[in-house]
mmCIF file of all heavy atoms in Angstrom:
data_model
loop_
_atom_site.group_PDB
_atom_site.id
_atom_site.type_symbol
_atom_site.label_atom_id
_atom_site.label_comp_id
_atom_site.label_asym_id
_atom_site.label_seq_id
_atom_site.Cartn_x
_atom_site.Cartn_y
_atom_site.Cartn_z
ATOM 1 N N ALA A 131 78.843 -4.639 -105.339
ATOM 2 C CA ALA A 131 79.242 -5.759 -104.530
ATOM 3 C C ALA A 131 79.012 -5.547 -103.056
ATOM 4 O O ALA A 131 79.139 -6.477 -102.247
ATOM 5 C CB ALA A 131 80.630 -6.118 -104.853
ATOM 6 N N GLY A 132 78.668 -4.344 -102.694
ATOM 7 C CA GLY A 132 78.361 -4.069 -101.274
ATOM 8 C C GLY A 132 79.693 -4.007 -100.488
ATOM 9 O O GLY A 132 79.686 -4.220 -99.249
ATOM 10 N N VAL A 133 80.805 -3.653 -101.078
ATOM 11 C CA VAL A 133 82.057 -3.531 -100.304
ATOM 12 C C VAL A 133 82.189 -2.149 -99.789
ATOM 13 O O VAL A 133 82.030 -1.203 -100.466
ATOM 14 C CB VAL A 133 83.308 -3.822 -101.292
ATOM 15 C CG1 VAL A 133 84.537 -3.703 -100.553
ATOM 16 C CG2 VAL A 133 83.159 -5.248 -101.859
ATOM 17 N N ALA A 134 82.370 -2.067 -98.444
ATOM 18 C CA ALA A 134 82.543 -0.800 -97.835
ATOM 19 C C ALA A 134 83.852 -0.110 -98.260
ATOM 20 O O ALA A 134 84.948 -0.810 -98.363
ATOM 21 C CB ALA A 134 82.521 -0.949 -96.269
ATOM 22 N N LYS A 135 83.845 1.213 -98.608
ATOM 23 C CA LYS A 135 85.064 1.893 -99.046
ATOM 24 C C LYS A 135 85.949 2.122 -97.783
ATOM 25 O O LYS A 135 85.436 2.477 -96.695
ATOM 26 C CB LYS A 135 84.721 3.205 -99.591
ATOM 27 C CG LYS A 135 84.028 3.076 -100.999
ATOM 28 C CD LYS A 135 83.649 4.472 -101.504
ATOM 29 C CE LYS A 135 82.860 4.413 -102.718
ATOM 30 N NZ LYS A 135 82.398 5.780 -103.178
ATOM 31 N N GLY A 136 87.225 2.064 -98.004
ATOM 32 C CA GLY A 136 88.139 2.300 -96.887
ATOM 33 C C GLY A 136 89.586 2.039 -97.420
ATOM 34 O O GLY A 136 89.880 2.089 -98.568
ATOM 35 N N ALA A 137 90.518 1.852 -96.460
ATOM 36 C CA ALA A 137 91.905 1.589 -96.763
ATOM 37 C C ALA A 137 92.107 0.484 -97.826
ATOM 38 O O ALA A 137 92.902 0.635 -98.768
ATOM 39 C CB ALA A 137 92.716 1.349 -95.559
ATOM 40 N N LEU A 138 91.314 -0.645 -97.628
ATOM 41 C CA LEU A 138 91.459 -1.751 -98.461
ATOM 42 C C LEU A 138 91.081 -1.456 -99.905
ATOM 43 O O LEU A 138 91.832 -1.818 -100.842
ATOM 44 C CB LEU A 138 90.583 -2.918 -97.972
ATOM 45 C CG LEU A 138 90.691 -4.215 -98.728
ATOM 46 C CD1 LEU A 138 92.084 -4.859 -98.492
ATOM 47 C CD2 LEU A 138 89.605 -5.205 -98.327
ATOM 48 N N THR A 139 90.020 -0.732 -100.119
ATOM 49 C CA THR A 139 89.574 -0.428 -101.461
ATOM 50 C C THR A 139 90.560 0.521 -102.130
ATOM 51 O O THR A 139 90.817 0.424 -103.319
ATOM 52 C CB THR A 139 88.165 0.202 -101.500
ATOM 53 O OG1 THR A 139 88.086 1.254 -100.552
ATOM 54 C CG2 THR A 139 87.125 -0.834 -101.190
ATOM 55 N N VAL A 140 91.193 1.399 -101.366
ATOM 56 C CA VAL A 140 92.231 2.305 -101.903
ATOM 57 C C VAL A 140 93.460 1.489 -102.366
ATOM 58 O O VAL A 140 94.006 1.681 -103.428
ATOM 59 C CB VAL A 140 92.601 3.410 -100.904
ATOM 60 C CG1 VAL A 140 93.666 4.298 -101.461
ATOM 61 C CG2 VAL A 140 91.371 4.291 -100.608
ATOM 62 N N ILE A 141 93.832 0.500 -101.518
ATOM 63 C CA ILE A 141 94.998 -0.311 -101.867
ATOM 64 C C ILE A 141 94.704 -1.142 -103.127
ATOM 65 O O ILE A 141 95.529 -1.222 -104.036
ATOM 66 C CB ILE A 141 95.384 -1.261 -100.667
ATOM 67 C CG1 ILE A 141 95.947 -0.407 -99.550
ATOM 68 C CG2 ILE A 141 96.404 -2.287 -101.098
ATOM 69 C CD1 ILE A 141 96.128 -1.118 -98.214
ATOM 70 N N ILE A 142 93.491 -1.665 -103.240
ATOM 71 C CA ILE A 142 93.097 -2.425 -104.410
ATOM 72 C C ILE A 142 93.240 -1.531 -105.628
ATOM 73 O O ILE A 142 93.792 -1.957 -106.676
ATOM 74 C CB ILE A 142 91.656 -3.022 -104.201
ATOM 75 C CG1 ILE A 142 91.670 -4.152 -103.190
ATOM 76 C CG2 ILE A 142 91.164 -3.457 -105.533
ATOM 77 C CD1 ILE A 142 90.246 -4.625 -102.929
ATOM 78 N N ALA A 143 92.698 -0.312 -105.522
ATOM 79 C CA ALA A 143 92.649 0.622 -106.688
ATOM 80 C C ALA A 143 94.129 0.965 -107.076
ATOM 81 O O ALA A 143 94.440 0.905 -108.324
ATOM 82 C CB ALA A 143 91.880 1.834 -106.355
ATOM 83 N N HIS A 144 94.912 1.228 -106.143
ATOM 84 C CA HIS A 144 96.288 1.724 -106.488
ATOM 85 C C HIS A 144 97.170 0.562 -107.085
ATOM 86 O O HIS A 144 97.876 0.798 -108.035
ATOM 87 C CB HIS A 144 97.014 2.212 -105.186
ATOM 88 C CG HIS A 144 96.525 3.546 -104.793
ATOM 89 N ND1 HIS A 144 97.257 4.400 -104.001
ATOM 90 C CD2 HIS A 144 95.432 4.321 -105.092
ATOM 91 C CE1 HIS A 144 96.587 5.577 -103.794
ATOM 92 N NE2 HIS A 144 95.460 5.494 -104.458
ATOM 93 N N THR A 145 96.965 -0.656 -106.517
ATOM 94 C CA THR A 145 97.620 -1.788 -107.069
ATOM 95 C C THR A 145 97.291 -1.951 -108.524
ATOM 96 O O THR A 145 98.123 -2.112 -109.451
ATOM 97 C CB THR A 145 97.315 -3.036 -106.330
ATOM 98 O OG1 THR A 145 97.514 -2.797 -104.974
ATOM 99 C CG2 THR A 145 98.109 -4.253 -106.757
ATOM 100 N N MET A 146 95.960 -1.844 -108.821
ATOM 101 C CA MET A 146 95.494 -1.979 -110.199
ATOM 102 C C MET A 146 96.178 -1.021 -111.135
ATOM 103 O O MET A 146 96.749 -1.520 -112.196
ATOM 104 C CB MET A 146 93.966 -1.734 -110.225
ATOM 105 C CG MET A 146 93.296 -1.918 -111.569
ATOM 106 S SD MET A 146 93.228 -0.476 -112.542
ATOM 107 C CE MET A 146 92.077 0.544 -111.531
ATOM 108 N N PHE A 147 96.266 0.316 -110.923
ATOM 109 C CA PHE A 147 96.825 1.167 -111.878
ATOM 110 C C PHE A 147 98.367 1.163 -111.914
ATOM 111 O O PHE A 147 98.970 1.614 -112.854
ATOM 112 C CB PHE A 147 96.264 2.604 -111.907
ATOM 113 C CG PHE A 147 96.679 3.446 -110.640
ATOM 114 C CD1 PHE A 147 97.908 3.956 -110.556
ATOM 115 C CD2 PHE A 147 95.780 3.752 -109.658
ATOM 116 C CE1 PHE A 147 98.302 4.696 -109.403
ATOM 117 C CE2 PHE A 147 96.078 4.511 -108.571
ATOM 118 C CZ PHE A 147 97.313 4.985 -108.482
ATOM 119 N N CYS A 148 99.000 0.568 -110.854
ATOM 120 C CA CYS A 148 100.408 0.493 -110.856
ATOM 121 C C CYS A 148 100.974 -0.715 -111.692
ATOM 122 O O CYS A 148 102.078 -0.631 -112.144
ATOM 123 C CB CYS A 148 100.970 0.388 -109.440
ATOM 124 S SG CYS A 148 100.838 1.941 -108.540
ATOM 125 N N ILE A 149 100.115 -1.747 -111.794
ATOM 126 C CA ILE A 149 100.682 -2.992 -112.453
ATOM 127 C C ILE A 149 101.247 -2.685 -113.825
ATOM 128 O O ILE A 149 102.378 -3.073 -114.204
ATOM 129 C CB ILE A 149 99.567 -4.059 -112.499
ATOM 130 C CG1 ILE A 149 99.305 -4.589 -111.122
ATOM 131 C CG2 ILE A 149 99.977 -5.184 -113.467
ATOM 132 C CD1 ILE A 149 98.206 -5.685 -111.030
ATOM 133 N N SER A 150 100.478 -1.980 -114.665
ATOM 134 C CA SER A 150 100.931 -1.718 -116.067
ATOM 135 C C SER A 150 102.262 -1.006 -116.111
ATOM 136 O O SER A 150 103.109 -1.395 -116.855
ATOM 137 C CB SER A 150 99.871 -0.883 -116.802
ATOM 138 O OG SER A 150 98.633 -1.583 -116.790
ATOM 139 N N PHE A 151 102.422 -0.040 -115.208
ATOM 140 C CA PHE A 151 103.681 0.708 -115.181
ATOM 141 C C PHE A 151 104.830 -0.227 -114.769
ATOM 142 O O PHE A 151 105.933 -0.023 -115.271
ATOM 143 C CB PHE A 151 103.535 1.911 -114.304
ATOM 144 C CG PHE A 151 102.657 3.031 -114.845
ATOM 145 C CD1 PHE A 151 101.295 3.079 -114.482
ATOM 146 C CD2 PHE A 151 103.176 3.956 -115.748
ATOM 147 C CE1 PHE A 151 100.516 4.093 -114.986
ATOM 148 C CE2 PHE A 151 102.316 4.830 -116.311
ATOM 149 C CZ PHE A 151 101.021 4.952 -116.006
ATOM 150 N N VAL A 152 104.609 -1.109 -113.820
ATOM 151 C CA VAL A 152 105.654 -2.064 -113.420
ATOM 152 C C VAL A 152 105.992 -2.898 -114.613
ATOM 153 O O VAL A 152 107.202 -3.095 -114.940
ATOM 154 C CB VAL A 152 105.137 -2.927 -112.214
ATOM 155 C CG1 VAL A 152 106.224 -3.995 -111.954
ATOM 156 C CG2 VAL A 152 104.963 -2.117 -111.004
ATOM 157 N N VAL A 153 105.025 -3.460 -115.336
ATOM 158 C CA VAL A 153 105.270 -4.344 -116.466
ATOM 159 C C VAL A 153 106.167 -3.614 -117.468
ATOM 160 O O VAL A 153 107.138 -4.093 -117.947
ATOM 161 C CB VAL A 153 103.965 -4.799 -117.163
ATOM 162 C CG1 VAL A 153 104.309 -5.573 -118.403
ATOM 163 C CG2 VAL A 153 103.119 -5.653 -116.177
ATOM 164 N N VAL A 154 105.832 -2.355 -117.797
ATOM 165 C CA VAL A 154 106.509 -1.638 -118.822
ATOM 166 C C VAL A 154 107.956 -1.419 -118.396
ATOM 167 O O VAL A 154 108.920 -1.616 -119.185
ATOM 168 C CB VAL A 154 105.889 -0.244 -118.995
ATOM 169 C CG1 VAL A 154 106.723 0.699 -119.938
ATOM 170 C CG2 VAL A 154 104.522 -0.448 -119.745
ATOM 171 N N THR A 155 108.159 -1.064 -117.074
ATOM 172 C CA THR A 155 109.525 -0.772 -116.620
ATOM 173 C C THR A 155 110.371 -2.039 -116.535
ATOM 174 O O THR A 155 111.538 -2.067 -116.942
ATOM 175 C CB THR A 155 109.435 -0.116 -115.191
ATOM 176 O OG1 THR A 155 108.447 0.837 -115.244
ATOM 177 C CG2 THR A 155 110.731 0.436 -114.795
ATOM 178 N N VAL A 156 109.831 -3.115 -116.023
ATOM 179 C CA VAL A 156 110.569 -4.364 -115.782
ATOM 180 C C VAL A 156 110.830 -5.074 -117.087
ATOM 181 O O VAL A 156 111.881 -5.645 -117.346
ATOM 182 C CB VAL A 156 109.882 -5.223 -114.738
ATOM 183 C CG1 VAL A 156 110.697 -6.628 -114.583
ATOM 184 C CG2 VAL A 156 109.792 -4.624 -113.465
ATOM 185 N N ARG A 157 109.835 -4.962 -117.984
ATOM 186 C CA ARG A 157 109.922 -5.732 -119.254
ATOM 187 C C ARG A 157 111.197 -5.289 -120.096
ATOM 188 O O ARG A 157 111.839 -6.131 -120.690
ATOM 189 C CB ARG A 157 108.657 -5.359 -120.066
ATOM 190 C CG ARG A 157 108.584 -6.177 -121.396
ATOM 191 C CD ARG A 157 107.188 -5.832 -121.925
ATOM 192 N NE ARG A 157 107.206 -5.893 -123.386
ATOM 193 C CZ ARG A 157 106.170 -6.059 -124.156
ATOM 194 N NH1 ARG A 157 104.950 -6.155 -123.607
ATOM 195 N NH2 ARG A 157 106.362 -6.168 -125.486
ATOM 196 N N ALA A 158 111.479 -4.009 -120.062
ATOM 197 C CA ALA A 158 112.675 -3.555 -120.840
ATOM 198 C C ALA A 158 113.874 -4.196 -120.252
ATOM 199 O O ALA A 158 114.817 -4.637 -120.978
ATOM 200 C CB ALA A 158 112.758 -2.067 -120.701
ATOM 201 N N ARG A 159 113.923 -4.319 -118.974
ATOM 202 C CA ARG A 159 115.075 -4.975 -118.258
ATOM 203 C C ARG A 159 115.196 -6.475 -118.607
ATOM 204 O O ARG A 159 116.282 -6.993 -118.871
ATOM 205 C CB ARG A 159 114.953 -4.778 -116.749
ATOM 206 C CG ARG A 159 116.095 -5.165 -115.912
ATOM 207 C CD ARG A 159 117.187 -4.102 -115.886
ATOM 208 N NE ARG A 159 118.424 -4.714 -115.408
ATOM 209 C CZ ARG A 159 119.572 -3.999 -115.364
ATOM 210 N NH1 ARG A 159 119.630 -2.816 -115.782
ATOM 211 N NH2 ARG A 159 120.693 -4.617 -114.833
ATOM 212 N N VAL A 160 114.044 -7.164 -118.563
ATOM 213 C CA VAL A 160 114.074 -8.575 -118.942
ATOM 214 C C VAL A 160 114.546 -8.830 -120.390
ATOM 215 O O VAL A 160 115.370 -9.660 -120.653
ATOM 216 C CB VAL A 160 112.739 -9.223 -118.773
ATOM 217 C CG1 VAL A 160 112.716 -10.778 -119.024
ATOM 218 C CG2 VAL A 160 112.111 -9.025 -117.349
ATOM 219 N N ALA A 161 114.056 -7.932 -121.263
ATOM 220 C CA ALA A 161 114.430 -8.034 -122.667
ATOM 221 C C ALA A 161 115.880 -7.781 -122.875
ATOM 222 O O ALA A 161 116.536 -8.368 -123.786
ATOM 223 C CB ALA A 161 113.626 -7.060 -123.489
ATOM 224 N N GLY A 162 116.518 -6.961 -122.045
ATOM 225 C CA GLY A 162 117.931 -6.730 -122.155
ATOM 226 C C GLY A 162 118.851 -7.698 -121.484
ATOM 227 O O GLY A 162 120.084 -7.563 -121.538
ATOM 228 N N LEU A 163 118.216 -8.701 -120.817
ATOM 229 C CA LEU A 163 119.045 -9.665 -120.100
ATOM 230 C C LEU A 163 119.729 -10.640 -120.978
ATOM 231 O O LEU A 163 119.110 -11.135 -121.932
ATOM 232 C CB LEU A 163 118.027 -10.438 -119.135
ATOM 233 C CG LEU A 163 118.542 -11.084 -117.898
ATOM 234 C CD1 LEU A 163 118.649 -9.997 -116.851
ATOM 235 C CD2 LEU A 163 117.601 -12.160 -117.444
ATOM 236 N N ASN A 164 120.949 -10.908 -120.736
ATOM 237 C CA ASN A 164 121.715 -11.825 -121.538
ATOM 238 C C ASN A 164 121.331 -13.304 -121.128
ATOM 239 O O ASN A 164 121.739 -13.732 -120.034
ATOM 240 C CB ASN A 164 123.232 -11.535 -121.419
ATOM 241 C CG ASN A 164 124.042 -12.448 -122.303
ATOM 242 O OD1 ASN A 164 123.469 -13.241 -123.053
ATOM 243 N ND2 ASN A 164 125.323 -12.226 -122.281
ATOM 244 N N PRO A 165 120.672 -14.118 -121.976
ATOM 245 C CA PRO A 165 120.361 -15.466 -121.646
ATOM 246 C C PRO A 165 121.505 -16.370 -121.367
ATOM 247 O O PRO A 165 121.407 -17.393 -120.651
ATOM 248 C CB PRO A 165 119.557 -15.943 -122.821
ATOM 249 C CG PRO A 165 119.296 -14.762 -123.693
ATOM 250 C CD PRO A 165 120.345 -13.768 -123.405
ATOM 251 N N ALA A 166 122.751 -16.000 -121.882
ATOM 252 C CA ALA A 166 123.866 -16.792 -121.733
ATOM 253 C C ALA A 166 124.266 -16.964 -120.249
ATOM 254 O O ALA A 166 124.810 -17.949 -119.809
ATOM 255 C CB ALA A 166 125.074 -16.217 -122.502
ATOM 256 N N LEU A 167 124.000 -15.905 -119.506
ATOM 257 C CA LEU A 167 124.291 -15.956 -118.051
ATOM 258 C C LEU A 167 123.551 -17.025 -117.340
ATOM 259 O O LEU A 167 124.088 -17.773 -116.528
ATOM 260 C CB LEU A 167 124.055 -14.572 -117.408
ATOM 261 C CG LEU A 167 125.006 -13.407 -117.913
ATOM 262 C CD1 LEU A 167 124.476 -12.100 -117.422
ATOM 263 C CD2 LEU A 167 126.408 -13.669 -117.518
ATOM 264 N N GLU A 168 122.208 -17.113 -117.676
ATOM 265 C CA GLU A 168 121.391 -18.135 -117.020
ATOM 266 C C GLU A 168 121.796 -19.495 -117.486
ATOM 267 O O GLU A 168 121.812 -20.500 -116.803
ATOM 268 C CB GLU A 168 119.929 -17.880 -117.322
ATOM 269 C CG GLU A 168 119.407 -16.659 -116.577
ATOM 270 C CD GLU A 168 118.092 -16.185 -117.155
ATOM 271 O OE1 GLU A 168 118.075 -15.740 -118.314
ATOM 272 O OE2 GLU A 168 117.049 -16.125 -116.448
ATOM 273 N N GLU A 169 122.165 -19.566 -118.756
ATOM 274 C CA GLU A 169 122.496 -20.829 -119.385
ATOM 275 C C GLU A 169 123.806 -21.343 -118.731
ATOM 276 O O GLU A 169 123.953 -22.542 -118.385
ATOM 277 C CB GLU A 169 122.836 -20.679 -120.913
ATOM 278 C CG GLU A 169 122.268 -21.685 -121.814
ATOM 279 C CD GLU A 169 122.210 -21.135 -123.219
ATOM 280 O OE1 GLU A 169 123.209 -21.277 -123.903
ATOM 281 O OE2 GLU A 169 121.176 -20.541 -123.554
#
Side-chain angles (χ1 to χ4, degrees):
Chain A
V133 179
K135 291 178 186 174
L138 183 69
T139 51
V140 175
I141 291 170
I142 289 175
H144 285 200
T145 307
M146 183 268 293
F147 70 73
C148 287
I149 288 179
S150 302
F151 289 95
V152 173
V153 175
V154 169
T155 315
V156 177
R157 186 174 150 159
R159 188 83 196 174
V160 183
L163 205 80
N164 184 358
L167 295 169
E168 288 163 300
E169 225 160 87

